[in-house]
Amino acid sequence: MGKLDGRVIVITGAARGQGEQEARLFVAEGARVVLGDVLAERGAALATELGERQARFVRLDVAVEEDWAALVEVAQEAFGKVDGLVNNAGIVRFNALVDTPLEEFQQVVSVNQTGCFLGMRTVAPRIAAAGGGTIVNTASYAGLTGMAFVGAYAAAKHAVVGLTRVAALELAAQKIRVNALCPGAVDTPMVDEGALDPSADPEEGARIVAELCRKRVPLGRIGRPEEVARLALFLTGEDSSYITGQPFVIDGGWLAGESPA
């Protein structure tokens, strides 16, 4: 018996990184998954690999209402219901606050904050119609504290934590639990590419992030996407049945304080 037997879960940003690992783990635990991402080729390939009985891919720009409407219709037609959502899609841009162009700020907020809002607003009624379920929003370590050079990202992720708490209060009567993941640095393409100018070498970005984690993270390393996926599984399954409205930090101890030299 899997921990998610019979569940139908929507996962955004599912073509790679944390979302991909969540999709793989959820299917291994018995779920059927609907994968949303703007990376259509990679997302479709993952759905094919997972199998038609277990997965569907829908091209999804999380900031577009019409894309969300299309996704839930595909989910309903393919699997008959939706009873879970993992709002995983996100982007990061590194810039000093006073140097951040308005367009860049709005882009980050559009994906990370508006996308989360639209996901909950669209999918929650379907979850309620299925008799209840779970929503897991991906916030961040930076959604609970300040972090230099990621002002837009931190603002959006603070908002995700707030939206999570509001949704938990409003949706509890419909038997929907809502919680937030708050990862620190995790070894995903988003982090590697965001560490530098987008035109730079992602391998150099990965090196910079790894060195930062070696110095700042008590456990001395960057996180792995499969580790975040296991926390998403916990919050989606019955093991967390009395938990709602909470942010869960998974950061190797970074938020705990300053490590000794």
Side-chain angles (χ1 to χ4, degrees), residues 46-111:
L46 177 59
T48 298
E49 180 186 341
L50 294 174
E52 187 176 5
R53 295 182 62 183
Q54 298 301 124
R56 292 288 192 281
F57 173 76
V58 180
R59 189 191 182 284
L60 173 72
D61 181 335
V62 294
V64 176
E65 289 184 82
E66 293 79 8
D67 283 11
W68 276 107
L71 181 143
V72 294
E73 289 306 319
V74 169
Q76 194 73 34
E77 181 179 343
F79 300 129
K81 66 172 183 173
V82 177
D83 54 16
L85 168 64
V86 179
N87 268 318
N88 170 74
I91 60 174
V92 63
R93 298 290 182 266
F94 284 69
N95 220 335
L97 184 64
V98 298
D99 295 329
T100 301
L102 177 60
E103 181 181 4
E104 179 178 291
F105 186 92
Q106 291 175 329
Q107 180 192 30
V108 173
V109 169
S110 179
V111 174

Short mmCIF file of all heavy atoms in Angstrom, two decimals, residues 46-111:
data_model
loop_
_atom_site.label_atom_id
_atom_site.label_comp_id
_atom_site.label_asym_id
_atom_site.label_seq_id
_atom_site.Cartn_x
_atom_site.Cartn_y
_atom_site.Cartn_z
N LEU A 46 8.38 13.38 -19.15
CA LEU A 46 8.25 12.81 -17.81
C LEU A 46 6.91 12.08 -17.67
O LEU A 46 6.85 10.98 -17.12
CB LEU A 46 8.36 13.91 -16.75
CG LEU A 46 8.17 13.47 -15.30
CD1 LEU A 46 9.18 12.40 -14.91
CD2 LEU A 46 8.25 14.67 -14.36
N ALA A 47 5.83 12.70 -18.15
CA ALA A 47 4.52 12.05 -18.08
C ALA A 47 4.52 10.73 -18.83
O ALA A 47 3.95 9.73 -18.37
CB ALA A 47 3.45 12.99 -18.61
N THR A 48 5.14 10.71 -19.99
CA THR A 48 5.24 9.47 -20.77
C THR A 48 6.01 8.40 -20.01
O THR A 48 5.61 7.23 -19.97
CB THR A 48 5.92 9.74 -22.12
OG1 THR A 48 5.13 10.68 -22.87
CG2 THR A 48 6.08 8.46 -22.92
N GLU A 49 7.10 8.82 -19.38
CA GLU A 49 7.91 7.87 -18.60
C GLU A 49 7.11 7.30 -17.43
O GLU A 49 7.19 6.10 -17.13
CB GLU A 49 9.16 8.57 -18.08
CG GLU A 49 10.07 7.67 -17.25
CD GLU A 49 11.23 8.43 -16.63
OE1 GLU A 49 11.57 9.52 -17.10
OE2 GLU A 49 11.80 7.90 -15.65
N LEU A 50 6.34 8.16 -16.76
CA LEU A 50 5.57 7.69 -15.60
C LEU A 50 4.40 6.81 -16.01
O LEU A 50 3.92 6.01 -15.21
CB LEU A 50 5.07 8.90 -14.81
CG LEU A 50 6.15 9.74 -14.13
CD1 LEU A 50 5.55 10.99 -13.50
CD2 LEU A 50 6.91 8.93 -13.09
N GLY A 51 3.92 6.99 -17.24
CA GLY A 51 2.87 6.12 -17.75
C GLY A 51 1.51 6.79 -17.81
O GLY A 51 1.14 7.56 -16.92
N GLU A 52 0.76 6.48 -18.86
CA GLU A 52 -0.53 7.14 -19.09
C GLU A 52 -1.54 6.86 -17.98
O GLU A 52 -2.39 7.70 -17.69
CB GLU A 52 -1.11 6.69 -20.43
CG GLU A 52 -2.36 7.43 -20.84
CD GLU A 52 -2.86 7.03 -22.21
OE1 GLU A 52 -2.27 6.11 -22.81
OE2 GLU A 52 -3.85 7.63 -22.66
N ARG A 53 -1.47 5.71 -17.36
CA ARG A 53 -2.41 5.40 -16.28
C ARG A 53 -2.13 6.22 -15.03
O ARG A 53 -3.01 6.37 -14.18
CB ARG A 53 -2.35 3.90 -15.95
CG ARG A 53 -2.81 2.99 -17.06
CD ARG A 53 -2.78 1.55 -16.64
NE ARG A 53 -3.68 1.28 -15.52
CZ ARG A 53 -3.80 0.10 -14.93
NH1 ARG A 53 -3.05 -0.93 -15.33
NH2 ARG A 53 -4.64 -0.07 -13.92
N GLN A 54 -0.92 6.74 -14.92
CA GLN A 54 -0.51 7.45 -13.70
C GLN A 54 -0.29 8.94 -13.88
O GLN A 54 -0.29 9.67 -12.88
CB GLN A 54 0.79 6.83 -13.16
CG GLN A 54 0.69 5.38 -12.75
CD GLN A 54 -0.34 5.16 -11.67
OE1 GLN A 54 -1.25 4.35 -11.84
NE2 GLN A 54 -0.23 5.86 -10.58
N ALA A 55 -0.12 9.42 -15.10
CA ALA A 55 0.31 10.82 -15.26
C ALA A 55 -0.24 11.44 -16.54
O ALA A 55 -0.42 10.76 -17.56
CB ALA A 55 1.83 10.90 -15.28
N ARG A 56 -0.49 12.72 -16.45
CA ARG A 56 -0.81 13.56 -17.61
C ARG A 56 0.01 14.84 -17.51
O ARG A 56 0.25 15.34 -16.41
CB ARG A 56 -2.29 13.94 -17.64
CG ARG A 56 -3.24 12.80 -17.88
CD ARG A 56 -3.19 12.32 -19.33
NE ARG A 56 -4.31 11.43 -19.61
CZ ARG A 56 -4.37 10.15 -19.27
NH1 ARG A 56 -3.35 9.61 -18.59
NH2 ARG A 56 -5.41 9.41 -19.56
N PHE A 57 0.40 15.36 -18.67
CA PHE A 57 1.09 16.65 -18.69
C PHE A 57 0.20 17.68 -19.36
O PHE A 57 -0.43 17.42 -20.39
CB PHE A 57 2.42 16.57 -19.44
CG PHE A 57 3.06 17.93 -19.63
CD1 PHE A 57 3.69 18.55 -18.57
CD2 PHE A 57 2.97 18.60 -20.85
CE1 PHE A 57 4.24 19.82 -18.72
CE2 PHE A 57 3.52 19.86 -21.02
CZ PHE A 57 4.15 20.47 -19.94
N VAL A 58 0.18 18.89 -18.79
CA VAL A 58 -0.53 20.03 -19.37
C VAL A 58 0.42 21.22 -19.35
O VAL A 58 0.99 21.53 -18.29
CB VAL A 58 -1.81 20.37 -18.57
CG1 VAL A 58 -2.53 21.56 -19.21
CG2 VAL A 58 -2.73 19.16 -18.48
N ARG A 59 0.57 21.87 -20.50
CA ARG A 59 1.39 23.07 -20.49
C ARG A 59 0.70 24.13 -19.64
O ARG A 59 -0.46 24.46 -19.85
CB ARG A 59 1.62 23.63 -21.89
CG ARG A 59 2.66 24.75 -21.89
CD ARG A 59 2.73 25.52 -23.18
NE ARG A 59 3.77 26.54 -23.11
CZ ARG A 59 3.65 27.70 -22.46
NH1 ARG A 59 2.52 28.01 -21.82
NH2 ARG A 59 4.66 28.57 -22.42
N LEU A 60 1.42 24.65 -18.65
CA LEU A 60 0.83 25.56 -17.68
C LEU A 60 1.76 26.73 -17.40
O LEU A 60 2.88 26.53 -16.92
CB LEU A 60 0.54 24.82 -16.37
CG LEU A 60 0.07 25.68 -15.19
CD1 LEU A 60 -1.35 26.18 -15.41
CD2 LEU A 60 0.18 24.89 -13.88
N ASP A 61 1.30 27.92 -17.69
CA ASP A 61 1.91 29.14 -17.17
C ASP A 61 1.09 29.50 -15.94
O ASP A 61 -0.09 29.87 -16.05
CB ASP A 61 1.85 30.26 -18.21
CG ASP A 61 2.50 31.56 -17.74
OD1 ASP A 61 2.57 31.78 -16.51
OD2 ASP A 61 2.91 32.36 -18.58
N VAL A 62 1.67 29.38 -14.77
CA VAL A 62 0.90 29.51 -13.53
C VAL A 62 0.29 30.89 -13.34
O VAL A 62 -0.63 31.06 -12.53
CB VAL A 62 1.74 29.14 -12.28
CG1 VAL A 62 2.11 27.66 -12.31
CG2 VAL A 62 2.98 30.00 -12.16
N ALA A 63 0.79 31.88 -14.08
CA ALA A 63 0.27 33.24 -13.95
C ALA A 63 -0.91 33.51 -14.89
O ALA A 63 -1.43 34.63 -14.91
CB ALA A 63 1.37 34.25 -14.22
N VAL A 64 -1.34 32.49 -15.62
CA VAL A 64 -2.41 32.66 -16.61
C VAL A 64 -3.65 31.88 -16.17
O VAL A 64 -3.62 30.65 -16.08
CB VAL A 64 -1.94 32.19 -18.00
CG1 VAL A 64 -3.08 32.28 -19.01
CG2 VAL A 64 -0.75 33.02 -18.47
N GLU A 65 -4.74 32.59 -15.92
CA GLU A 65 -5.97 31.96 -15.44
C GLU A 65 -6.46 30.87 -16.38
O GLU A 65 -6.90 29.80 -15.93
CB GLU A 65 -7.07 33.00 -15.26
CG GLU A 65 -6.89 33.95 -14.10
CD GLU A 65 -8.07 34.88 -13.95
OE1 GLU A 65 -9.08 34.45 -13.35
OE2 GLU A 65 -8.00 36.02 -14.45
N GLU A 66 -6.43 31.16 -17.67
CA GLU A 66 -6.96 30.21 -18.65
C GLU A 66 -6.18 28.90 -18.64
O GLU A 66 -6.76 27.83 -18.86
CB GLU A 66 -6.94 30.83 -20.05
CG GLU A 66 -7.88 32.00 -20.24
CD GLU A 66 -7.35 33.31 -19.68
OE1 GLU A 66 -6.17 33.37 -19.25
OE2 GLU A 66 -8.12 34.30 -19.67
N ASP A 67 -4.89 28.96 -18.38
CA ASP A 67 -4.09 27.73 -18.31
C ASP A 67 -4.52 26.87 -17.13
O ASP A 67 -4.59 25.64 -17.23
CB ASP A 67 -2.60 28.08 -18.18
CG ASP A 67 -1.99 28.50 -19.50
OD1 ASP A 67 -2.74 28.74 -20.46
OD2 ASP A 67 -0.75 28.60 -19.57
N TRP A 68 -4.81 27.50 -16.01
CA TRP A 68 -5.30 26.76 -14.85
C TRP A 68 -6.64 26.10 -15.13
O TRP A 68 -6.87 24.93 -14.77
CB TRP A 68 -5.41 27.68 -13.64
CG TRP A 68 -4.13 27.87 -12.89
CD1 TRP A 68 -3.33 28.97 -12.88
CD2 TRP A 68 -3.49 26.90 -12.04
NE1 TRP A 68 -2.24 28.76 -12.07
CE2 TRP A 68 -2.31 27.50 -11.54
CE3 TRP A 68 -3.80 25.61 -11.66
CZ2 TRP A 68 -1.43 26.83 -10.69
CZ3 TRP A 68 -2.93 24.93 -10.80
CH2 TRP A 68 -1.77 25.55 -10.31
N ALA A 69 -7.54 26.83 -15.77
CA ALA A 69 -8.85 26.27 -16.09
C ALA A 69 -8.71 25.05 -16.99
O ALA A 69 -9.39 24.02 -16.80
CB ALA A 69 -9.73 27.33 -16.75
N ALA A 70 -7.81 25.13 -17.98
CA ALA A 70 -7.59 24.01 -18.88
C ALA A 70 -7.00 22.82 -18.14
O ALA A 70 -7.38 21.66 -18.39
CB ALA A 70 -6.67 24.43 -20.02
N LEU A 71 -6.09 23.08 -17.21
CA LEU A 71 -5.45 21.99 -16.48
C LEU A 71 -6.45 21.20 -15.65
O LEU A 71 -6.46 19.96 -15.67
CB LEU A 71 -4.34 22.54 -15.59
CG LEU A 71 -3.58 21.49 -14.78
CD1 LEU A 71 -2.10 21.85 -14.68
CD2 LEU A 71 -4.14 21.34 -13.36
N VAL A 72 -7.32 21.87 -14.92
CA VAL A 72 -8.25 21.13 -14.07
C VAL A 72 -9.26 20.35 -14.90
O VAL A 72 -9.75 19.29 -14.48
CB VAL A 72 -8.96 22.03 -13.04
CG1 VAL A 72 -7.97 22.57 -12.03
CG2 VAL A 72 -9.73 23.15 -13.70
N GLU A 73 -9.57 20.84 -16.09
CA GLU A 73 -10.48 20.09 -16.97
C GLU A 73 -9.81 18.80 -17.45
O GLU A 73 -10.44 17.74 -17.51
CB GLU A 73 -10.90 20.95 -18.16
CG GLU A 73 -11.86 22.06 -17.79
CD GLU A 73 -13.10 21.57 -17.05
OE1 GLU A 73 -13.65 20.50 -17.44
OE2 GLU A 73 -13.49 22.22 -16.07
N VAL A 74 -8.52 18.89 -17.79
CA VAL A 74 -7.78 17.69 -18.18
C VAL A 74 -7.73 16.70 -17.03
O VAL A 74 -7.93 15.49 -17.20
CB VAL A 74 -6.36 18.05 -18.65
CG1 VAL A 74 -5.50 16.80 -18.80
CG2 VAL A 74 -6.42 18.81 -19.97
N ALA A 75 -7.46 17.20 -15.83
CA ALA A 75 -7.39 16.33 -14.65
C ALA A 75 -8.72 15.62 -14.41
O ALA A 75 -8.76 14.42 -14.15
CB ALA A 75 -7.00 17.15 -13.42
N GLN A 76 -9.80 16.37 -14.51
CA GLN A 76 -11.12 15.80 -14.28
C GLN A 76 -11.45 14.74 -15.33
O GLN A 76 -11.98 13.66 -15.01
CB GLN A 76 -12.18 16.90 -14.30
CG GLN A 76 -13.53 16.50 -13.75
CD GLN A 76 -13.53 16.36 -12.23
OE1 GLN A 76 -12.83 17.09 -11.54
NE2 GLN A 76 -14.31 15.42 -11.72
N GLU A 77 -11.14 15.04 -16.57
CA GLU A 77 -11.45 14.11 -17.65
C GLU A 77 -10.60 12.85 -17.55
O GLU A 77 -11.08 11.73 -17.77
CB GLU A 77 -11.21 14.78 -19.00
CG GLU A 77 -11.53 13.89 -20.19
CD GLU A 77 -11.32 14.59 -21.51
OE1 GLU A 77 -11.25 15.84 -21.54
OE2 GLU A 77 -11.22 13.89 -22.54
N ALA A 78 -9.33 13.01 -17.20
CA ALA A 78 -8.42 11.86 -17.16
C ALA A 78 -8.61 10.99 -15.94
O ALA A 78 -8.59 9.75 -16.02
CB ALA A 78 -6.97 12.36 -17.22
N PHE A 79 -8.82 11.62 -14.78
CA PHE A 79 -8.80 10.87 -13.52
C PHE A 79 -10.06 11.00 -12.67
O PHE A 79 -10.17 10.38 -11.62
CB PHE A 79 -7.58 11.30 -12.70
CG PHE A 79 -6.27 11.04 -13.38
CD1 PHE A 79 -5.32 12.05 -13.49
CD2 PHE A 79 -5.97 9.81 -13.93
CE1 PHE A 79 -4.10 11.83 -14.12
CE2 PHE A 79 -4.76 9.57 -14.56
CZ PHE A 79 -3.82 10.58 -14.66
N GLY A 80 -11.00 11.85 -13.10
CA GLY A 80 -12.29 11.93 -12.43
C GLY A 80 -12.37 12.82 -11.22
O GLY A 80 -13.47 13.07 -10.70
N LYS A 81 -11.26 13.35 -10.76
CA LYS A 81 -11.26 14.21 -9.59
C LYS A 81 -9.90 14.85 -9.43
O LYS A 81 -8.93 14.48 -10.12
CB LYS A 81 -11.58 13.41 -8.32
CG LYS A 81 -10.51 12.38 -7.96
CD LYS A 81 -10.75 11.75 -6.60
CE LYS A 81 -9.61 10.78 -6.25
NZ LYS A 81 -9.72 10.27 -4.86
N VAL A 82 -9.79 15.80 -8.52
CA VAL A 82 -8.52 16.33 -8.03
C VAL A 82 -8.66 16.45 -6.52
O VAL A 82 -9.62 17.04 -6.03
CB VAL A 82 -8.18 17.72 -8.62
CG1 VAL A 82 -6.88 18.24 -8.02
CG2 VAL A 82 -8.08 17.66 -10.13
N ASP A 83 -7.72 15.89 -5.77
CA ASP A 83 -7.80 16.04 -4.32
C ASP A 83 -6.49 16.46 -3.69
O ASP A 83 -6.30 16.35 -2.48
CB ASP A 83 -8.34 14.77 -3.64
CG ASP A 83 -7.56 13.53 -3.99
OD1 ASP A 83 -6.44 13.64 -4.51
OD2 ASP A 83 -8.10 12.43 -3.77
N GLY A 84 -5.61 17.01 -4.52
CA GLY A 84 -4.37 17.54 -3.97
C GLY A 84 -3.69 18.48 -4.95
O GLY A 84 -3.86 18.37 -6.16
N LEU A 85 -2.94 19.42 -4.42
CA LEU A 85 -2.20 20.40 -5.22
C LEU A 85 -0.86 20.66 -4.56
O LEU A 85 -0.80 20.87 -3.34
CB LEU A 85 -2.99 21.71 -5.32
CG LEU A 85 -2.25 22.93 -5.88
CD1 LEU A 85 -1.85 22.72 -7.33
CD2 LEU A 85 -3.11 24.19 -5.72
N VAL A 86 0.19 20.64 -5.35
CA VAL A 86 1.50 21.11 -4.91
C VAL A 86 1.89 22.28 -5.79
O VAL A 86 2.21 22.11 -6.97
CB VAL A 86 2.58 20.01 -4.97
CG1 VAL A 86 3.93 20.56 -4.51
CG2 VAL A 86 2.17 18.80 -4.13
N ASN A 87 1.82 23.49 -5.24
CA ASN A 87 2.21 24.70 -5.94
C ASN A 87 3.73 24.83 -5.87
O ASN A 87 4.27 25.45 -4.97
CB ASN A 87 1.56 25.92 -5.29
CG ASN A 87 0.22 26.27 -5.92
OD1 ASN A 87 0.06 26.24 -7.13
ND2 ASN A 87 -0.74 26.61 -5.08
N ASN A 88 4.41 24.23 -6.83
CA ASN A 88 5.86 24.17 -6.78
C ASN A 88 6.55 25.17 -7.71
O ASN A 88 7.69 25.56 -7.46
CB ASN A 88 6.32 22.75 -7.15
CG ASN A 88 7.83 22.66 -7.35
OD1 ASN A 88 8.60 22.70 -6.38
ND2 ASN A 88 8.24 22.56 -8.60
N ALA A 89 5.89 25.60 -8.77
CA ALA A 89 6.54 26.44 -9.78
C ALA A 89 7.08 27.73 -9.17
O ALA A 89 6.42 28.35 -8.34
CB ALA A 89 5.55 26.77 -10.90
N GLY A 90 8.26 28.11 -9.59
CA GLY A 90 8.84 29.35 -9.08
C GLY A 90 10.07 29.76 -9.87
O GLY A 90 10.66 28.96 -10.59
N ILE A 91 10.43 31.03 -9.74
CA ILE A 91 11.65 31.55 -10.35
C ILE A 91 12.34 32.44 -9.34
O ILE A 91 11.73 32.92 -8.39
CB ILE A 91 11.36 32.36 -11.64
CG1 ILE A 91 10.46 33.57 -11.34
CG2 ILE A 91 10.76 31.46 -12.71
CD1 ILE A 91 10.26 34.49 -12.54
N VAL A 92 13.64 32.64 -9.54
CA VAL A 92 14.41 33.53 -8.68
C VAL A 92 15.27 34.43 -9.56
O VAL A 92 15.76 33.99 -10.61
CB VAL A 92 15.28 32.75 -7.67
CG1 VAL A 92 16.32 31.90 -8.36
CG2 VAL A 92 15.93 33.69 -6.66
N ARG A 93 15.42 35.68 -9.15
CA ARG A 93 16.33 36.61 -9.81
C ARG A 93 17.15 37.30 -8.72
O ARG A 93 16.60 37.74 -7.71
CB ARG A 93 15.56 37.66 -10.62
CG ARG A 93 14.72 37.08 -11.74
CD ARG A 93 15.58 36.53 -12.87
NE ARG A 93 14.77 36.01 -13.96
CZ ARG A 93 14.41 34.73 -14.09
NH1 ARG A 93 14.79 33.85 -13.17
NH2 ARG A 93 13.69 34.35 -15.12
N PHE A 94 18.44 37.39 -8.92
CA PHE A 94 19.33 38.01 -7.95
C PHE A 94 19.63 39.44 -8.40
O PHE A 94 20.12 39.66 -9.51
CB PHE A 94 20.64 37.21 -7.84
CG PHE A 94 20.50 35.93 -7.05
CD1 PHE A 94 19.78 34.87 -7.56
CD2 PHE A 94 21.09 35.80 -5.81
CE1 PHE A 94 19.64 33.69 -6.84
CE2 PHE A 94 20.96 34.63 -5.07
CZ PHE A 94 20.23 33.57 -5.59
N ASN A 95 19.32 40.39 -7.52
CA ASN A 95 19.56 41.78 -7.85
C ASN A 95 19.46 42.62 -6.58
O ASN A 95 18.68 42.29 -5.68
CB ASN A 95 18.54 42.29 -8.87
CG ASN A 95 19.16 43.19 -9.91
OD1 ASN A 95 20.19 43.81 -9.68
ND2 ASN A 95 18.52 43.26 -11.08
N ALA A 96 20.24 43.66 -6.50
CA ALA A 96 20.07 44.62 -5.41
C ALA A 96 18.70 45.29 -5.54
O ALA A 96 18.21 45.52 -6.65
CB ALA A 96 21.17 45.67 -5.45
N LEU A 97 18.09 45.60 -4.40
CA LEU A 97 16.74 46.17 -4.41
C LEU A 97 16.65 47.41 -5.28
O LEU A 97 15.75 47.53 -6.13
CB LEU A 97 16.32 46.49 -2.97
CG LEU A 97 14.89 47.01 -2.79
CD1 LEU A 97 13.87 45.97 -3.19
CD2 LEU A 97 14.68 47.44 -1.34
N VAL A 98 17.60 48.34 -5.13
CA VAL A 98 17.52 49.61 -5.87
C VAL A 98 17.88 49.45 -7.34
O VAL A 98 17.65 50.36 -8.13
CB VAL A 98 18.40 50.69 -5.22
CG1 VAL A 98 17.91 50.99 -3.81
CG2 VAL A 98 19.87 50.28 -5.22
N ASP A 99 18.42 48.28 -7.71
CA ASP A 99 18.77 48.03 -9.11
C ASP A 99 17.75 47.13 -9.81
O ASP A 99 17.93 46.82 -11.00
CB ASP A 99 20.15 47.36 -9.20
CG ASP A 99 21.26 48.27 -8.71
OD1 ASP A 99 21.12 49.50 -8.85
OD2 ASP A 99 22.26 47.74 -8.16
N THR A 100 16.74 46.70 -9.09
CA THR A 100 15.77 45.77 -9.67
C THR A 100 14.79 46.51 -10.57
O THR A 100 14.05 47.37 -10.10
CB THR A 100 14.98 45.05 -8.56
OG1 THR A 100 15.89 44.34 -7.71
CG2 THR A 100 13.97 44.07 -9.15
N PRO A 101 14.73 46.18 -11.85
CA PRO A 101 13.74 46.80 -12.73
C PRO A 101 12.33 46.38 -12.32
O PRO A 101 12.11 45.27 -11.84
CB PRO A 101 14.09 46.24 -14.11
CG PRO A 101 15.48 45.69 -13.99
CD PRO A 101 15.62 45.26 -12.56
N LEU A 102 11.38 47.27 -12.51
CA LEU A 102 9.99 46.96 -12.19
C LEU A 102 9.52 45.71 -12.92
O LEU A 102 8.83 44.86 -12.34
CB LEU A 102 9.09 48.15 -12.54
CG LEU A 102 7.58 47.94 -12.33
CD1 LEU A 102 7.27 47.62 -10.87
CD2 LEU A 102 6.81 49.17 -12.80
N GLU A 103 9.89 45.57 -14.16
CA GLU A 103 9.47 44.40 -14.94
C GLU A 103 9.97 43.11 -14.30
O GLU A 103 9.23 42.11 -14.24
CB GLU A 103 10.00 44.51 -16.37
CG GLU A 103 9.59 43.36 -17.27
CD GLU A 103 10.14 43.49 -18.67
OE1 GLU A 103 10.92 44.44 -18.93
OE2 GLU A 103 9.79 42.65 -19.52
N GLU A 104 11.21 43.12 -13.81
CA GLU A 104 11.76 41.93 -13.16
C GLU A 104 11.01 41.62 -11.87
O GLU A 104 10.67 40.46 -11.59
CB GLU A 104 13.24 42.14 -12.87
CG GLU A 104 13.92 40.96 -12.17
CD GLU A 104 15.39 41.21 -11.95
OE1 GLU A 104 16.15 41.25 -12.96
OE2 GLU A 104 15.80 41.39 -10.78
N PHE A 105 10.76 42.66 -11.06
CA PHE A 105 10.02 42.46 -9.82
C PHE A 105 8.65 41.86 -10.11
O PHE A 105 8.21 40.90 -9.46
CB PHE A 105 9.87 43.79 -9.08
CG PHE A 105 9.26 43.69 -7.72
CD1 PHE A 105 10.04 43.52 -6.59
CD2 PHE A 105 7.87 43.72 -7.55
CE1 PHE A 105 9.48 43.42 -5.33
CE2 PHE A 105 7.30 43.62 -6.30
CZ PHE A 105 8.10 43.46 -5.18
N GLN A 106 7.95 42.41 -11.07
CA GLN A 106 6.60 41.95 -11.39
C GLN A 106 6.61 40.52 -11.94
O GLN A 106 5.69 39.75 -11.67
CB GLN A 106 5.95 42.91 -12.38
CG GLN A 106 5.61 44.27 -11.75
CD GLN A 106 5.08 45.27 -12.75
OE1 GLN A 106 5.45 45.24 -13.93
NE2 GLN A 106 4.21 46.16 -12.30
N GLN A 107 7.65 40.18 -12.69
CA GLN A 107 7.76 38.82 -13.22
C GLN A 107 7.89 37.80 -12.10
O GLN A 107 7.23 36.76 -12.09
CB GLN A 107 8.95 38.70 -14.16
CG GLN A 107 9.13 37.31 -14.76
CD GLN A 107 10.46 37.13 -15.45
OE1 GLN A 107 11.47 37.75 -15.08
NE2 GLN A 107 10.50 36.29 -16.47
N VAL A 108 8.76 38.10 -11.14
CA VAL A 108 8.97 37.19 -10.01
C VAL A 108 7.69 37.04 -9.19
O VAL A 108 7.29 35.93 -8.81
CB VAL A 108 10.14 37.67 -9.13
CG1 VAL A 108 10.24 36.83 -7.86
CG2 VAL A 108 11.44 37.61 -9.91
N VAL A 109 7.03 38.15 -8.90
CA VAL A 109 5.77 38.11 -8.15
C VAL A 109 4.69 37.37 -8.93
O VAL A 109 3.91 36.59 -8.37
CB VAL A 109 5.32 39.53 -7.79
CG1 VAL A 109 3.90 39.54 -7.25
CG2 VAL A 109 6.27 40.15 -6.77
N SER A 110 4.65 37.58 -10.24
CA SER A 110 3.63 36.94 -11.07
C SER A 110 3.71 35.42 -10.99
O SER A 110 2.69 34.73 -10.83
CB SER A 110 3.79 37.40 -12.52
OG SER A 110 2.83 36.78 -13.35
N VAL A 111 4.91 34.88 -11.08
CA VAL A 111 5.07 33.42 -11.03
C VAL A 111 4.92 32.90 -9.61
O VAL A 111 4.15 31.98 -9.33
CB VAL A 111 6.43 33.01 -11.63
CG1 VAL A 111 6.65 31.50 -11.46
CG2 VAL A 111 6.50 33.39 -13.10
#
